[in-house]
Amino acid sequence: MSWIGLRDHNGTQRFHPGGLVGDRTTVKRVSADAPMAKGTLLIETIHDPDKVRRNLLRFAANTPWHSALRLTLDPDGTLRLLMAQGQITADFALKTDLHTHKGTAAIWFTWDAPARKGQLAVLTSTNEFYCCDLFAPIPLCFRDADRICTHPQTTQIDAATTFVAIADSIEPVGPPATLSGQSIIETPNGHVRLETLKPGATVVTADGEAAQIRSIAAQTLPARGMFTPHIIRAPYYGARTDLSIGPRQHIELGGSKIEYLFLTEYVLTEVGHLTDGREVLATSQSDFVTYYHVMLDRHDVLELTGVRLTSLDPAPFRQNAAMRQHGILRNVPQELLPAGPSIDLQHLRNFEAVLIPNR
């Protein structure tokens, strides 16, 4: 299965134990009080330095027994997860720097009840990543997962919490996949859809050189917040047709305007920084979206449907053991991670990208 619950501030309140994505004709029969052996709770919040503790999510119920889950952010940036099930309680803490600046953060709580372990992880809009291991976290049962997503009387979410999503599987934490499987990419045998490629296949980079795919895989995420699909409308940025893409995907920009503004021929920036409602617009036509990641034998630029986009940079995964172990490359053997450098181009921040005049 995967995602079974979703709630946001726009009125979405959905839960289905058989899953919210894909075909649901097969009914999954589970006891409401059965614990989920494995699972993920994902929320997004807009954080702002504050002098008081914020309750990002607070759930409590007394039937058929006492159960509770509270996720809080302390003034010193400590993220706390407090849980209770009957007489059993658990308290975990993850130190972050969320108290030092304003921004957006995705927060994951994952658990593996048979293995008596889990993770608490945070990814910020400025790409800081924090993660800690949890010993014997309390798994959610299906009834409580339902109440978190569809019962406001038992669960309160902070005004700055964008969404809450629950899966009955352990989802990857950290930097997400961002590419559309429908994107068209060049190979030595012609142009094909990205989703048809497999590890080991050869593609042609934006500069016309051959590169081998070391890893390619799909990831389904809530189509909310920092995972909301963005549309690059043709013909802007070279797009031959409208291209759906994740806002955290890096795009290469060049030309006389770039050279004039930044004194360099090419720069990189996140697609989300270019959102203007005309050339690049955020759109959410469904509750969940499936993205792909592509890791080559080196970090390089690919041309997808005419747009110059970067492949997955393996450097952060090499440098961070937790991201490597629990992120989207968790099933990729260590020896397949390229050892080369990242693309050496200036990365524009949001306030720099908005300086670029209409393309």
Side-chain angles (χ1 to χ4, degrees):
M1 294 299 171
S2 183
W3 300 105
I4 59 175
L6 179 67
R7 175 179 172 185
D8 63 25
H9 274 303
N10 294 323
T12 300
Q13 295 181 14
R14 297 183 62 198
F15 180 84
H16 193 292
L20 297 177
V21 182
D23 183 14
R24 290 189 290 159
T25 56
T26 301
V27 178
K28 180 180 180 181
R29 299 188 180 280
V30 297
S31 167
D33 296 320
M36 286 185 276
K38 298 180 180 181
T40 300
L41 186 148
L42 168 62
I43 78 169
E44 182 187 90
T45 185
I46 300 172
H47 60 88
D48 200 352
D50 207 332
K51 295 182 180 180
V52 298
R53 170 179 287 187
R54 287 179 50 209
N55 289 303
L56 307 180
L57 183 153
R58 182 170 56 184
F59 160 74
N62 291 316
T63 55
W65 49 69
H66 174 64
S67 57
L69 184 150
R70 182 179 296 185
L71 195 61
T72 67
L73 183 62
D74 288 349
D76 66 353
T78 301
L79 183 69
R80 295 190 180 278
L81 174 65
L82 302 94
M83 308 185 72
Q85 196 73 249
Q87 300 299 314
I88 304 172
T89 61
D91 186 352
F92 306 101
L94 173 62
K95 180 64 178 176
T96 76
D97 291 327
L98 295 180
H99 64 298
T100 62
H101 60 281
K102 184 176 181 178
T104 303
I107 301 170
W108 288 263
F109 160 48
T110 70
W111 66 90
D112 183 341
R116 294 177 60 79
K117 63 182 182 181
Q119 281 75 42
L120 188 60
V122 176
L123 177 70
T124 73
S125 54
T126 50
N127 293 312
E128 286 91 4
F129 178 72
Y130 311 89
C131 185
C132 68
D133 292 330
L134 311 180
F135 175 70
I138 302 173
L140 285 176
C141 68
F142 286 94
R143 185 191 301 275
D144 289 347
D146 185 2
R147 289 190 282 203
I148 288 173
C149 294
T150 66
H151 290 58
Q153 63 271 29
T154 63
T155 308
Q156 293 78 47
I157 58 176
D158 185 82
T161 297
T162 311
F163 70 84
V164 179
I166 297 177
D168 62 355
S169 57
I170 300 176
E171 296 299 304
V173 305
T178 52
L179 300 175
S180 167
Q182 299 295 312
S183 304
I184 302 300
I185 187 170
E186 184 180 358
T187 73
N189 298 319
H191 290 81
V192 301
R193 293 196 311 275
L194 185 70
E195 63 189 0
T196 66
L197 296 173
K198 304 294 183 184
T202 299
V203 296
V204 179
T205 69
D207 293 331
E209 298 183 357
Q212 184 191 59
I213 294 179
R214 294 285 181 85
S215 174
I216 179 170
Q219 179 185 22
T220 299
L221 290 161
R224 300 288 189 275
M226 66 170 66
F227 312 119
T228 301
H230 281 52
I231 303 295
I232 299 179
R233 298 181 61 199
Y236 303 110
Y237 301 102
R240 292 188 290 268
T241 61
D242 289 358
L243 176 63
S244 179
I245 204 164
R248 298 181 70 91
Q249 170 64 43
H250 281 97
I251 182 173
E252 183 187 78
L253 305 176
S256 58
K257 295 177 182 178
I258 296 298
E259 191 165 5
Y260 173 77
L261 286 171
F262 305 107
L263 304 179
T264 185
E265 189 174 1
Y266 295 100
V267 296
L268 297 176
T269 194
E270 292 184 5
V271 168
H273 295 341
L274 303 174
T275 307
D276 62 359
R278 183 172 71 94
E279 299 171 2
V280 179
L281 58 152
T283 178
S284 185
Q285 298 178 347
S286 60
D287 288 334
F288 293 89
V289 58
T290 298
Y291 295 119
Y292 283 74
H293 78 256
V294 176
M295 183 180 68
L296 304 176
D297 53 12
R298 60 187 182 274
H299 190 213
D300 213 329
V301 177
L302 296 168
E303 189 173 287
L304 298 178
T305 314
V307 183
R308 295 173 68 95
L309 304 167
T310 62
S311 63
L312 180 68
D313 186 0
F317 295 87
R318 293 198 310 265
Q319 298 161 5
N320 190 302
M323 188 186 298
R324 168 77 183 84
Q325 184 179 0
H326 306 296
I328 56 177
L329 296 182
R330 61 189 181 182
N331 296 321
V332 179
Q334 178 73 33
E335 56 269 22
L336 289 184
L337 265 66
S342 303
I343 297 172
D344 186 18
L345 290 178
Q346 179 181 348
H347 288 247
L348 301 187
R349 292 163 289 184
N350 185 48
F351 68 89
E352 295 171 315
V354 298
L355 295 175
I356 304 173
N358 290 337
R359 276 57 64 183

